[in-house]
Amino acid sequence: MLTFTCLAAWSQAQHTEKQVKTEFEKLHQFLREEEEGRLAALREEEERKSRIMKEKLEQITRHVSTLSDKITAVEKAMDDEDTSFLKSYRNIKERAQWTLQDPELLSGVLIDVAKHLGNLKYRVWERMLEMVQYIPVLLDPNTARVKLSLSDDLTTVTYTGIEQKCPDNPERFSNYAVVLGSEGFTSGKHSWEVKVGNKTAWDVGVAQESITRKGKITYSPKRGFWVMMLRNGENYRAAGVTKLTLKRKPQRIRVQLDYDRGEVSVFDSSDMSHIYTFTDTFTERVFPFFCPCMKKDGNDAPLQICPVKVSVTVMSSQ
């Protein structure tokens, strides 16, 4: 058993290392594309402003050439006999009148260095937010029953019915299709959203750390479970407390934990309509609780923890 546990830990380490490298490669690729995009913008500006300067220089060259032609014409006329020059003096004077203005100083032809370098790291980071997801709660694979499958990003749990080779460590549930969140709470307010979709059975909520994991489980606040459950596609319950009547079938459930006030509330995420609030006194660490239930009667879909939109607010100094 100890040897198997060591092999399982080694396998976990190898898989985790692979996932870490994959995630960092995505970040590296993003940064490479950002660098290429910004250098391309710099080159485009350089080429555009070089064209403007080239056109201005060509214009000046044409003016100089015209003036040179006039000077040559006057010099040729002056080489003629005096009477001929005097007779054509008025015409030569008009042809010789030319004012070459100083070259106009062009505005905006220098590279906008501030646009390309100003707050560069911040602006790249701000763009990175578009590809970054924040998940408020992650699943703990060391607690998942062996017939459950978790996604690589630890946000989705599916009941497969196929036993995976996992050590029967103390944290793991052995008889029920349950997995806990990876982080427990002993204070503060916390919330997360679970996509339940059209599943016909599921359980979501909060459970205390000391709940039984190897034997029979009975949901109730007295036993450390504050859980909302669905059975047969229509029977909703605040487990161990009361039946629930909902106006519609929620696709997403929001769980809100206020540890200090001893409250676990559940809402329909579509309009944040309140479904039920458990009120109790917490005396130990509590964990997010998930059960996708068995794969039957159209209940094949997983439970998925939804990402939270990340935003940045810049506070101006006063």
Side-chain angles (χ1 to χ4, degrees), residues 198-202 230-234 249 296-299:
N198 291 315
K199 287 175 65 62
T200 58
W202 47 259
L230 168 66
R231 293 293 183 272
N232 302 318
E234 58 183 4
K249 184 180 179 69
K296 63 178 182 179
D297 301 329
N299 197 44

Side-chain angles (χ1 to χ4, degrees), residues 91-187:
N91 182 41
I92 293 172
K93 181 181 178 181
E94 291 177 355
R95 291 171 62 188
Q97 287 180 344
W98 178 267
T99 301
L100 182 61
Q101 298 179 344
D102 291 336
E104 178 185 356
L105 296 178
L106 297 179
S107 175
V109 295
L110 296 179
I111 297 298
D112 190 348
V113 177
K115 182 183 75 172
H116 297 288
L117 290 181
N119 291 318
L120 179 59
K121 293 178 182 177
Y122 171 80
R123 289 189 289 119
V124 171
W125 175 67
E126 191 176 36
R127 281 268 295 117
M128 189 178 290
L129 292 179
E130 299 175 9
M131 64 168 288
V132 172
Q133 290 186 335
Y134 174 71
I135 311 296
V137 170
L138 296 174
L139 304 174
D140 183 359
N142 296 332
T143 66
R145 189 186 177 188
V146 294
K147 292 186 179 182
L148 295 178
S149 175
L150 274 55
S151 60
D152 286 335
D153 62 0
L154 304 179
T155 64
T156 302
V157 54
T158 305
Y159 182 88
T160 64
I162 301 172
E163 290 196 7
Q164 303 179 65
K165 293 183 178 180
C166 300
D168 188 21
N169 50 299
E171 300 86 1
R172 191 177 308 281
F173 289 86
S174 60
N175 295 340
Y176 293 84
V178 170
V179 60
L180 298 181
S182 61
E183 181 183 1
F185 308 112
T186 56
S187 64

